[in-house]
């Protein structure tokens, strides 16, 4: 669908856990890392999942406990989520950086792309997936997607119904 895209992406934040911008040195390091990962996927045959795992190790470097707990957490969620690294993105989603969405929606299915625009506060190495190829993700998020996609229509229908309701005041019941 032209309004919905499925992607698997390594998302590298350019802010720390408190929302503060990373240093220029750290951004440069992450940009080089993103470019390296992009080459590994496009030229060396690595998967997006493999580079996500590698980046998580780099990001958690020096903190053994958080590295192990994050891998434990991903194992727990993999049972309930078919593929935790797959994202469904709506074209009108305002929470997703616009430059990333532009590249995603203009990419061909199975195309891998690199997004290193500092304005977005993230670097991405992403692969656009064919949303029609594996419908398990769509099925899994169907109700959430329907709520998001149809919420305006639903609200309008409820408002119309509420306007059509004829209210009658039962004076006898109130007096009693």
């Amino acid at each position: 669908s032209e309004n919905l895209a499925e992607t698997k992406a390594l998302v590298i934040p350019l802010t720390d856990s408190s929302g503060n911008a990373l240093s220029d040195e750290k951004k440069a390091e992450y940009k080089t890392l993103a470019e390296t990962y992009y080459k590994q996927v496009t030229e060396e045959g690595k998967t997006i999942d493999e580079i996500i795992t590698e980046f998580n190790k780099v990001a958690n470097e020096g903190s053994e406990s958080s590295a192990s707990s994050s891998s434990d957490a991903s194992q727990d969620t993999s049972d309930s989520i078919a593929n935790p690294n797959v994202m469904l993105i709506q074209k009108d989603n305002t929470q997703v950086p616009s430059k990333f969405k532009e590249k995603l929606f203009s990419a061909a299915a199975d195309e891998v792309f690199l997004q290193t625009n500092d304005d977005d506060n993230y670097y991405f190495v992403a692969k656009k997936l064919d949303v029609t190829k594996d419908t398990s993700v769509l099925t899994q998020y169907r109700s959430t997607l329907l709520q998001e996609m149809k919420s305006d229509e639903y609200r309008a229908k409820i408002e119309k119904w509420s306007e059509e309701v004829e209210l009658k005041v039962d004076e006898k019941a109130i007096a009693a």
Side-chain angles (χ1 to χ4, degrees):
S1 164
E2 57 234 20
N3 292 320
L4 186 68
E6 185 175 358
T7 184
K8 185 178 281 198
L10 165 61
V11 180
I12 302 174
L14 302 182
T15 56
D16 63 19
S17 58
S18 303
N20 302 314
L22 297 178
S23 67
D24 289 343
E25 295 80 28
K26 194 68 171 172
K27 284 183 183 179
E29 177 189 329
Y30 279 177
K31 187 172 193 170
T32 302
L33 207 51
E35 290 165 348
T36 301
Y37 288 145
Y38 174 73
K39 284 182 184 159
Q40 288 176 345
V41 171
T42 57
E43 296 171 14
E44 298 170 22
K46 280 201 173 182
T47 66
I48 298 289
D49 289 321
E50 288 171 333
I51 65 168
I52 289 171
T53 302
E54 278 184 37
F55 177 75
N56 287 337
K57 288 177 186 170
V58 169
N60 292 325
E61 216 167 71
S63 154
E64 300 262 338
S65 61
S66 73
S68 64
S69 67
S70 72
S71 67
D72 293 344
S74 68
Q75 288 172 352
D76 293 343
T77 58
S78 64
D79 293 339
S80 59
I81 298 174
N83 192 330
N85 297 325
V86 172
M87 299 180 283
L88 285 174
I89 297 176
Q90 285 183 258
K91 201 173 215 171
D92 61 357
N93 184 333
T94 56
Q95 295 177 343
V96 176
S98 58
K99 299 247 189 281
F100 174 73
K101 280 194 305 187
E102 286 171 24
K103 272 200 171 173
L104 176 63
F105 281 93
S106 65
D110 294 324
E111 182 179 338
V112 176
F113 60 92
L114 174 66
Q115 175 68 36
T116 54
N117 182 328
D118 290 358
D119 298 342
D120 284 341
N121 287 327
Y122 297 95
Y123 293 150
F124 297 91
V125 178
K127 180 177 185 176
K128 182 173 184 177
L129 304 175
D130 183 351
V131 77
T132 61
K133 193 183 238 178
D134 176 10
T135 58
S136 65
V137 174
L138 264 176
T139 304
Q140 186 177 348
Y141 294 106
R142 184 177 188 274
S143 63
T144 305
L145 284 169
L146 283 173
Q147 281 179 332
E148 286 179 28
M149 293 167 66
K150 298 290 188 178
S151 64
D152 292 340
E153 269 180 57
Y154 180 71
R155 269 191 229 110
K157 188 171 209 150
I158 296 291
E159 285 175 23
K160 183 177 179 237
W161 286 345
S162 65
E163 289 168 5
E164 293 172 354
V165 170
E166 192 176 311
L167 294 176
K168 294 181 183 171
V169 177
D170 187 349
E171 296 296 336
K172 291 179 188 171
I174 294 173

